[in-house]
Amino acid sequence: MRIAQIAPLAESVPPKLYGGTERVVAWLVDGLVELGHEVTLFASGDSRTNGALHPVWPRALRLGRKGADPTAASAMLMEAIARRAKEFDVIHAHVDWLSLPLLSRLGVPFLTTMHGRLDLPGLPDVARQFPEACFVSISDHQRLPLPDAKWIGTIQHGLPSNLFRPSYEQGSYLAFLGRLTADKGPEDAIRIARAVQMPLRIAAKVPRAETAYFRKHIEPNIDGKNIQLVGEVDDAEKQPFLAEAAALLFPIDWPEPFGLVMIEAMACGTPVIAYRSGSVPEVVEHGLTGFIVENEEQAVRAVGELGKLDRRKVRARFEERFSASRMARQYEDQYHKLAAAAARELITEPSET
């Protein structure tokens, strides 16, 4: 099939450092190419892909020129798609609501994977404007706020099985990986680590909007020994960071749509201790790949139970459930269904007029 993939422009595909959606898009494109499809990626010019790259904007917005207008970049993205839409059998968008007005009018089968939270004000009104648009969720929990949208499936993220090497040794510290925002739970992670008297290493970005939060709540706790801030890490640095940890702490306080870091840890054989929120119960298998807990007290007890988990089984469950090849095959199936439905409509149109 001839498939277009529309990526966000905030980060390159894959991202140099932080960036979940762009990383997943990169793995999906490569997986589809391996399946024999002709894939064109609409993304920033500093992206790398095994498909054909259509560079829409010179560099990813976050690491590009300061002052670049994201609205202008989005306009360029939509124009690029509009000009080339008829070249494709199906268009797959990863930019949430942005592309719906355009794609709904181009006459080419399309679907949208929603990567963000959907419990925000006004979104039900937006969804009602596009009753025929097909959506894919990345967890069943993610779609709950919008039950009337046209959901055609849930496809969990996957990553290449050879991306991270597992370690089956018990780690010596606890790990926290993600954005340093209150809803990600870094303060909880610090308290949990102190309660069990284990070092905590934090690999994270500080969003510009969260600088005040970081300086007030996180920075005073960083002593460089028991609580260490590693900073942002790329895939090469992420592998030892996760593989050498006793567990990944994921004490979130928001409806996380998926939580890519959980399966990255599992790929390293590292169990996950996570609060029961959002997609966590769909990703973590309690007592097998980690522990699902309700609060800090239970998380502290879970750290003491880590020795009961088999890190080889953690890695095995990752391979069974969260590979990029599985993700690509599931999307391939949806593309075929969309193309077949569009073909049936073309056949029936003459008899209806």
Side-chain angles (χ1 to χ4, degrees):
M1 300 182 73
R2 297 168 302 168
I3 304 165
Q5 298 283 340
I6 309 176
L9 298 176
E11 307 286 348
S12 62
V13 177
K16 303 297 187 294
L17 295 169
Y18 184 84
T21 299
E22 295 84 1
R23 189 165 272 111
V24 170
V25 172
W27 296 330
L28 174 59
V29 171
D30 290 349
L32 291 169
V33 170
E34 288 180 8
L35 290 172
H37 298 289
E38 186 179 316
V39 186
T40 300
L41 172 65
F42 291 79
S44 63
D46 51 347
S47 297
R48 305 183 315 278
T49 179
N50 290 337
L53 176 64
H54 182 121
V56 174
W57 199 253
R59 290 197 65 200
L61 293 172
R62 187 169 76 90
L63 299 179
R65 269 182 84 181
K66 290 184 178 180
D69 187 344
T71 306
S74 296
M76 293 287 285
L77 177 61
M78 293 302 98
E79 178 63 15
I81 291 295
R83 290 187 179 189
R84 297 191 59 187
K86 298 299 182 182
E87 300 176 23
F88 304 106
D89 299 309
V90 66
I91 298 174
H92 187 172
H94 300 271
V95 289
D96 293 337
W97 309 99
L98 175 64
S99 58
L100 289 177
L102 174 65
L103 296 182
S104 296
R105 291 166 168 81
L106 292 179
V108 178
F110 75 94
L111 73 158
T112 301
T113 295
M114 304 304 292
H115 290 268
R117 65 189 299 174
L118 303 178
D119 61 335
L120 303 177
L123 293 191
D125 297 324
V126 177
R128 280 192 289 269
Q129 293 295 314
F130 304 96
E132 298 305 315
C134 295
F135 296 98
V136 169
S137 54
I138 55 179
S139 66
D140 290 338
H141 187 276
Q142 180 197 28
R143 64 169 72 178
L144 293 180
L146 298 178
D148 297 328
K150 190 176 181 180
W151 298 107
I152 59 174
T154 290
I155 300 179
Q156 295 178 320
H157 291 333
L159 58 88
S161 297
N162 61 355
L163 183 64
F164 296 128
R165 300 184 310 278
S167 171
Y168 302 127
E169 301 295 327
Q170 296 296 324
S172 58
Y173 59 88
L174 299 172
F176 179 94
L177 176 61
R179 288 180 289 111
L180 284 179
T181 59
D183 55 12
K184 292 285 189 177
E187 294 172 81
D188 292 49
I190 291 170
R191 289 192 293 266
I192 292 165
R194 284 177 171 164
V196 299
Q197 298 183 333
M198 286 185 69
L200 175 69
R201 296 185 184 177
I202 302 171
K205 66 179 283 189
V206 181
R208 292 174 185 172
E210 301 293 337
T211 302
Y213 166 78
F214 170 75
R215 289 177 176 169
K216 180 177 180 180
H217 298 282
I218 305 300
E219 193 171 36
N221 293 292
I222 296 171
D223 57 19
K225 181 180 178 182
N226 295 315
I227 310 296
Q228 299 180 28
L229 178 62
V230 178
E232 287 191 73
V233 292
D234 59 21
D235 284 341
E237 297 165 322
K238 190 182 298 181
Q239 193 277 328
F241 174 79
L242 289 172
E244 295 170 13
L248 171 75
L249 296 183
F250 197 68
I252 58 171
D253 184 29
W254 74 294
E256 176 83 65
F258 184 80
L260 186 63
V261 64
M262 291 190 285
I263 68 171
E264 291 177 326
M266 292 178 199
C268 295
T270 302
V272 179
I273 298 175
Y275 286 1
R276 186 186 301 276
S277 186
S279 64
V280 165
E282 299 175 53
V283 179
V284 177
E285 295 172 86
H286 184 77
L288 180 60
T289 59
F291 297 107
I292 301 173
V293 299
E294 308 292 342
N295 49 45
E296 288 180 37
E297 182 180 352
Q298 290 186 11
V300 168
R301 290 202 297 267
V303 173
E305 300 291 313
L306 288 171
K308 297 180 179 180
L309 301 181
D310 186 339
R311 292 175 69 108
R312 285 180 172 80
K313 291 182 179 179
V314 175
R315 168 68 188 194
R317 288 302 285 162
F318 156 76
E319 292 177 354
E320 292 165 8
R321 298 186 59 203
F322 298 115
S323 70
S325 59
R326 182 273 309 159
M327 174 177 66
R329 289 192 303 271
Q330 286 185 299
Y331 275 116
E332 178 187 48
D333 183 55
Q334 294 296 343
Y335 301 154
H336 284 305
K337 290 178 180 178
L338 286 173
R344 286 194 297 271
E345 289 182 10
L346 287 175
I347 292 172
T348 58
E349 275 182 5
S351 61
E352 294 174 354
T353 56

